[in-house]
Amino acid sequence: MHKRENQRKPILFIILSLLAVVVFFPLYITLVNSFKSYNEVVSSVAALPSAFHFGNFATVWKQLNFGGVFMNSLIITVVSVAGILMISAPAAYQFVRRPGWVSQFLFLLILSSLVIPFQTLMIPLVKVASELRLMDSIPGIIIMYWGFGIPLAVFLYHGFIKSIPRELEEAALIDGNGIAGAFFRVVLPLLKPVTTTIAILQSLWIWNDFLLPLITLSSKKNQTIPIASSVYFGQYMNEWHLAMAALTMASIPVIVFFVFMQRNIIEGITAGAVKG
């Protein structure tokens, strides 16, 4: 038995190494080419730069007004994720603790939006957003992200809350807490793993999203990083070295955030899926 396991370890190591190369190769290409000149990128994409052109980052910062678009992306991401968390957790709690046909219907109605492709919603979304004057508005796109992000968050919270014993809340009610007090003092602290998971997943999605800002944010002052970076991809000319520098600068915050928070992803998803 042990001999078979020892024979499998090198094979498993090789497979995992190949998978790691496949995953990290795009990151390597992006980082390496962000330090090259345009001619070097075109001549050899995978090679190391002959000289490091740090001026690419300065050019991108100036041309894109990177500080401004960075703040737009940061505000949209932080406020959107915060709103998704604050709305989804109490909603899922009510669906679980107040069972009935109304709760079941609303829960299934919210989940049904997960199976609808975004592309089918673009035209009606633009029409409704125009009527409500949410187009080309940072508050407007934040509200849209709430609508698109809440269903997944409710689904994950719902599965996790079902695993929490009712006796904990009953004890809080006996101690004089109301329903709201029992939720915020007892249930919410227990939701930390799944809350962290939702925050990470939603942050990665919103920060890197291109399509929704593309169809809703038209003015330059409201652009996010992905939209501003698209200026380097033209019909007749692609400035690959500057595009890679922009992508590198955009990736650094989200990579740092993910590295610090990634321990909670598996724990939160497993708890919500298995215990529920």
Side-chain angles (χ1 to χ4, degrees), residues 118 125 141 144-145 148 209-217:
F118 175 75
L125 174 66
I141 196 173
M144 297 179 207
Y145 276 126
F148 288 112
D209 187 32
F210 179 81
L211 193 53
L212 185 59
L214 177 65
I215 65 176
T216 58
L217 301 177

Side-chain angles (χ1 to χ4, degrees), residues 85 87-98 107 153-169 183 186-192 194-195 198 268 271-273 275-276:
L85 297 176
I87 296 171
S88 301
Y93 177 74
Q94 290 298 309
F95 292 151
V96 174
R97 293 301 188 238
R98 292 191 176 183
F107 178 63
V154 168
F155 173 73
L156 294 176
Y157 273 129
H158 190 276
F160 198 96
I161 292 172
K162 286 168 65 177
S163 68
I164 299 176
R166 284 178 175 267
E167 289 76 13
L168 296 176
E169 299 158 56
F183 172 75
V186 177
V187 177
L188 191 59
L190 298 175
L191 298 179
K192 182 180 177 181
V194 70
T195 297
I198 294 170
K275 294 182 182 180

Side-chain angles (χ1 to χ4, degrees), residues 113-263:
S113 63
L114 292 174
V115 300
I116 303 175
F118 175 75
Q119 288 78 5
T120 64
L121 301 175
M122 288 194 301
I123 295 177
L125 174 66
V126 171
K127 178 65 176 176
V128 173
S130 299
E131 294 291 335
L132 297 177
R133 297 184 179 180
L134 298 178
M135 294 293 290
D136 196 23
S137 166
I138 288 181
I141 196 173
I142 288 173
I143 293 174
M144 297 179 207
Y145 276 126
W146 289 351
F148 288 112
I150 285 174
L152 177 61
V154 168
F155 173 73
L156 294 176
Y157 273 129
H158 190 276
F160 198 96
I161 292 172
K162 286 168 65 177
S163 68
I164 299 176
R166 284 178 175 267
E167 289 76 13
L168 296 176
E169 299 158 56
E170 293 173 356
L173 294 174
I174 293 174
D175 290 339
N177 293 286
I179 296 178
F183 172 75
F184 285 105
R185 295 180 181 178
V186 177
V187 177
L188 191 59
L190 298 175
L191 298 179
K192 182 180 177 181
V194 70
T195 297
T196 305
T197 300
I198 294 170
I200 293 172
L201 295 177
Q202 301 286 10
S203 297
L204 293 175
W205 161 53
I206 296 172
W207 182 269
N208 295 306
D209 187 32
F210 179 81
L211 193 53
L212 185 59
L214 177 65
I215 65 176
T216 58
L217 301 177
S218 56
S219 63
K220 195 170 183 179
K221 66 176 182 179
N222 291 329
Q223 286 183 338
T224 59
I225 294 176
I227 300 301
S229 301
S230 65
V231 70
Y232 295 123
F233 300 95
Q235 182 177 0
Y236 302 105
M237 179 68 175
N238 294 318
E239 298 182 272
W240 295 110
H241 58 310
L242 299 180
M244 295 301 174
L247 294 176
T248 300
M249 294 168 66
S251 301
I252 291 174
V254 74
I255 290 175
V256 172
F257 176 71
F258 180 81
V259 167
F260 279 101
M261 305 294 287
Q262 56 90 21
R263 292 183 180 179

Side-chain angles (χ1 to χ4, degrees), residues 11-124:
I11 299 175
L12 182 60
F13 176 78
I14 294 173
I15 294 174
L16 293 177
S17 299
L18 292 174
L19 291 175
V21 171
V22 171
V23 171
F24 286 102
F25 186 70
L27 296 177
Y28 165 79
I29 292 296
T30 302
L31 181 62
V32 166
N33 288 286
S34 65
F35 292 101
K36 293 181 181 179
S37 65
Y38 174 78
N39 291 332
E40 281 187 292
V41 175
V42 174
S43 61
S44 180
V45 176
L48 292 173
S50 59
F52 287 88
H53 296 268
F54 292 97
N56 291 344
F57 297 95
T59 301
V60 168
W61 185 277
K62 183 178 180 180
Q63 288 183 349
L64 300 186
N65 183 26
F66 196 85
V69 297
F70 177 86
M71 287 305 301
N72 289 342
S73 290
L74 183 64
I75 292 171
I76 291 172
T77 301
V78 171
V79 179
S80 296
V81 173
I84 290 170
L85 297 176
M86 289 189 294
I87 296 171
S88 301
Y93 177 74
Q94 290 298 309
F95 292 151
V96 174
R97 293 301 188 238
R98 292 191 176 183
W101 72 268
V102 176
S103 294
Q104 187 70 12
F105 173 76
L106 292 176
F107 178 63
L108 293 176
L109 182 64
I110 291 174
L111 291 189
S112 65
S113 63
L114 292 174
V115 300
I116 303 175
F118 175 75
Q119 288 78 5
T120 64
L121 301 175
M122 288 194 301
I123 295 177

